[in-house]
Amino acid sequence: MIRHSNNASESWKTLPWKKFRRDLFRLQRRVFKAVQAGDKRKAKSLQKLILKSYAARMLAVRRVTQLNAGKKSAGVDGKVALSNDQRLSLSLELKEKAANWKHQGLREVPIPKKNGKIRILKVPTIADRAWQCLVYFALEPAAEATFHARSYGFRTGRSAHDAQKVLFNNLRSMSKGIEKRVIELDIEKCFDRINHSAIMDELIAPQSIRLGIFRCLKAGVSPEFPEQGTPQGGVVSPLLANIALNGVEGIHQSVRYADDMVIILKPKDSAEAILNKISQFLAQRGLRVTQAKTKLTATTDGFDFLGWHFRVQSNGKFRSTPSEDNYKAFRQKVKAIVNSSNYGATVKAEKLAPVVRGWRNYHRFCKMKGGRNSLYHLQNRAFKVFNKEPKQNRHSSKKLLDKAFPSVPYSENKFVNVKGDKSPYDGDITYWSERNSKLYDGETSKALKRQNHACGFCGLKMLSDEKVHLHHVDGNHNNWKKNNLLAVHRSCHQLHHRGKATAKNVGSRMLRKAHVRI
């Protein structure tokens, strides 16, 4: 056990994170195998071990306080950034109270939706998020063993691109997509209306976890609907929604991403009969179909799903492009940066690059050549703005423009789906590390192949539970020689640079002290 001291920062950094990841994965794999074999009693015993596991506790605390995007979002207690000493304290709190955890209230954050309405994001405290993450480690492998193969949202090892490729496989000319129709299904307030009993009935977990999950659900309920809803903003909420909705994909040929769903109909299929079956399934879970937003659409008319527009052309060829709404939202982000008066062209280019690269990466399996998707007009507008900046000449403006709008290769419909019911917890490390490497391109992809799909710092295989960063060995981000590039885990990258920063600060303090003595 780690004792608190003034050296807590060093204690935290020198923890054996590589061993923690291995120990946790070993337990998760055993949970997955037990549920697959139908031995739920054994699975629950293993989940208790995860709840008590020192490795799982430390990884949960690190994820919510250092790695997650919402680490700076405060709960009702106002706590945001934890010191290393506070992280160690939180891990001890989890050790003492994890089996009988009591949730605090949730901080409500209004989020405007594109239709003008407001969605309430309910943010738990950091301590509650750490507990949820710990429980997530125990629940996910058990749920993964039961999830339907065509469920892709908020699942480790699966992505929106899997759903995109399923639609291609079912609607391309070889599959006679021109003759088919689709139902664009909309579930009314899915996260707010899921019945608590439906979640609890499907949960594979020991009593200590079930009690904590029940309290978690009750902490975020609306007084108007006390038996419904899972709070959006919690670490475990998407998993609970997936557990409740699991099985709806088996009613008819379809693809689901969280609560978004497209049902594929052949010419002789009855849309009314299928919708009735789905409505009955949802009613058992306290949900219903939004009639006004649920549409029956011919594939030749096209439809939107997950930020893409899908359409089968009159010649039978399947096309996938960024949707109108998705492109507009992206264009607004770009214009806000380009037209900003708060910073110069160099900073604008630095801010634009990740936005553009992220958008192009998401759509890299679409038809991106020509038209608005080439971003020609946005680039032209940015060039004019950059060229007007003080001390900017045409040559430097062009150089900044190339930096701001990085090119990303695309290959229409070339994504490779996950094989059947495979899961990252099945133990096939080679398959998952190689698959994860294919999600990256350019120098990152080349570095991963050179390193045999393993992290350059910790040596563990690169699975899809964490992003891959590209590390410049000599610290020079302009040096792109292959021997200077290392593919590493995001957490390993952070740990490396924090360690260097700490060493630099310690060195500075020692020099100041020496100067004072002199």
Side-chain angles (χ1 to χ4, degrees):
M1 186 178 80
I2 292 176
R3 294 180 180 178
H4 292 254
S5 70
N6 293 331
N7 206 25
S9 179
E10 287 305 311
S11 298
W12 179 263
K13 289 171 186 172
T14 55
L15 286 170
W17 297 110
K18 179 178 177 179
K19 181 179 182 299
F20 289 167
R21 290 165 68 100
R22 279 181 172 161
D23 290 348
L24 175 60
F25 182 76
R26 193 178 297 115
L27 284 172
Q28 290 178 313
R29 182 184 174 188
R30 290 176 67 192
V31 171
F32 178 84
K33 295 287 185 184
V35 175
Q36 262 195 335
D39 193 348
K40 292 184 180 180
R41 186 175 178 179
K42 181 180 178 182
K44 291 175 183 178
S45 296
L46 291 166
Q47 287 174 318
K48 288 180 185 177
L49 289 179
I50 292 176
L51 203 62
K52 296 175 183 177
S53 165
Y54 177 55
R57 285 202 315 273
M58 302 309 282
L59 287 168
V61 171
R62 184 175 69 153
R63 179 174 290 191
V64 300
T65 62
Q66 286 185 293
L67 301 182
N68 282 2
K71 60 180 179 283
K72 294 183 180 178
S73 300
V76 290
D77 60 358
K79 291 183 180 178
V80 277
L82 297 187
S83 66
N84 288 328
D85 199 20
Q86 289 172 320
R87 291 181 183 123
L88 295 172
S89 295
L90 179 53
S91 72
L92 292 177
E93 185 182 355
L94 287 176
K95 180 183 179 182
E96 294 167 6
K97 302 178 182 178
N100 188 28
W101 192 264
K102 295 179 181 177
H103 274 70
Q104 297 183 55
L106 307 178
R107 185 172 71 92
E108 296 188 354
V109 181
I111 306 292
K113 298 170 73 173
K114 63 182 180 182
N115 60 6
K117 294 183 179 180
I118 298 293
R119 176 171 66 88
I120 301 297
L121 186 69
K122 298 182 179 181
V123 184
T125 63
I126 285 186
D128 286 339
R129 274 177 267 167
W131 181 86
Q132 287 186 28
C133 188
L134 177 60
V135 167
Y136 180 89
F137 290 153
L139 291 178
E140 191 187 35
E144 276 291 322
T146 64
F147 279 161
H148 197 281
R150 291 195 304 277
S151 164
Y152 297 111
F154 303 112
R155 289 182 64 187
T156 304
R158 284 168 165 76
S159 69
H161 294 121
D162 285 286
Q164 182 187 33
K165 188 58 182 283
V166 167
L167 288 172
F168 167 72
N169 289 338
N170 282 274
L171 301 180
R172 57 185 172 175
S173 57
M174 189 187 300
S175 303
K176 297 182 179 179
I178 198 169
E179 300 175 1
K180 296 179 180 179
R181 299 164 293 159
V182 298
I183 298 175
E184 301 172 64
L185 188 74
D186 184 86
I187 302 173
E188 185 178 346
K189 296 182 178 179
C190 179
F191 280 84
D192 296 331
R193 295 289 179 267
I194 292 178
N195 194 291
H196 291 170
S197 60
I199 295 173
M200 300 307 295
D201 289 346
E202 299 296 323
L203 208 61
I204 301 172
Q207 187 57 33
S208 55
I209 291 180
R210 292 176 65 85
L211 179 61
I213 290 294
F214 186 74
R215 288 171 176 167
C216 170
L217 292 172
K218 292 302 178 186
V221 296
S222 165
E224 188 181 354
F225 302 98
E227 301 297 326
Q228 294 177 304
T230 175
Q232 296 184 58
V235 177
V236 79
S237 297
L239 176 63
L240 297 179
N242 269 339
I243 288 171
L245 291 173
N246 185 44
V248 69
E249 310 89 349
I251 294 173
H252 192 80
Q253 183 69 25
S254 60
V255 57
R256 180 173 71 84
Y257 190 93
D259 59 337
D260 291 323
M261 191 170 176
V262 169
I263 301 151
I264 302 161
L265 305 180
K266 293 179 180 178
K268 293 182 180 180
D269 289 332
S270 168
E272 187 178 352
I274 293 165
L275 269 176
N276 283 337
K277 288 181 182 178
I278 289 174
S279 296
Q280 290 172 20
F281 177 95
L282 294 176
Q284 293 171 1
R285 287 147 179 82
L287 301 170
R288 62 183 182 184
V289 173
T290 310
Q291 298 295 337
K293 295 181 181 178
T294 298
K295 307 172 189 173
L296 177 64
T297 309
T299 56
T300 49
D301 291 337
F303 61 96
D304 290 350
F305 184 56
L306 301 179
W308 293 303
H309 181 74
F310 300 97
R311 189 169 71 89
V312 178
Q313 298 177 159
S314 56
N315 61 1
K317 191 174 181 62
F318 175 89
R319 279 279 183 245
S320 172
T321 55
S323 69
E324 185 73 30
D325 288 343
N326 181 276
Y327 178 77
K328 281 182 179 177
F330 165 71
R331 185 180 62 187
Q332 286 174 357
K333 287 181 183 178
V334 172
K335 288 175 73 175
I337 296 171
V338 170
N339 296 332
S340 175
S341 58
N342 295 332
Y343 27 74
T346 303
V347 178
K348 287 178 182 180
E350 290 173 354
K351 288 182 175 291
L352 274 173
V355 174
V356 173
R357 188 183 292 108
W359 187 79
R360 281 178 160 162
N361 264 322
Y362 186 75
H363 297 296
R364 66 187 181 276
F365 301 108
C366 293
K367 182 181 184 296
M368 296 293 284
K369 188 177 181 180
R372 68 180 190 193
N373 297 331
S374 68
L375 306 186
Y376 171 78
H377 295 292
L378 284 178
Q379 286 174 292
N380 194 40
R381 165 65 182 160
F383 179 75
K384 289 179 180 177
V385 172
F386 287 0
N387 210 33
K388 290 178 182 177
E389 293 282 346
K391 297 181 181 179
Q392 291 289 331
N393 54 49
R394 197 169 185 84
H395 175 71
S396 62
S397 295
K398 181 67 172 68
K399 196 173 181 180
L400 285 174
L401 190 71
D402 292 339
K403 183 179 179 181
F405 288 84
S407 61
V408 173
Y410 70 93
S411 48
E412 192 177 358
N413 303 321
K414 296 298 182 183
F415 183 81
V416 178
N417 272 120
V418 173
K419 286 183 183 176
D421 294 321
K422 283 194 71 64
S423 167
Y425 299 109
D426 61 14
D428 192 348
I429 302 295
T430 301
Y431 171 82
W432 287 105
S433 60
E434 289 181 0
R435 176 176 174 78
N436 189 45
S437 296
K438 291 175 183 175
L439 301 179
Y440 298 89
D441 53 33
E443 296 302 327
T444 306
S445 177
K446 292 175 185 176
L448 283 166
K449 288 175 183 175
R450 285 197 302 271
Q451 296 165 207
N452 196 24
H453 316 287
C455 174
F457 284 153
C458 72
L460 292 179
K461 289 288 189 180
M462 293 289 198
L463 304 180
S464 52
D465 61 336
E466 193 173 337
K467 287 184 178 179
V468 175
H469 279 196
L470 198 61
H471 172 67
H472 291 72
V473 177
D474 65 358
N476 179 9
H477 285 233
N478 293 319
N479 181 1
W480 288 85
K481 293 180 180 178
K482 67 179 183 180
N483 60 354
N484 190 50
L485 302 176
L486 210 60
V488 297
H489 286 117
R490 178 189 173 192
S491 56
C492 293
H493 203 201
Q494 285 184 352
L495 198 63
H496 173 80
H497 283 290
R498 284 195 179 112
K500 286 180 70 176
T502 304
K504 186 177 180 181
N505 291 337
V506 170
S508 298
R509 285 199 299 270
M510 290 176 70
L511 283 171
R512 284 197 298 270
K513 286 180 181 177
H515 179 71
V516 169
R517 285 197 296 270
I518 291 168

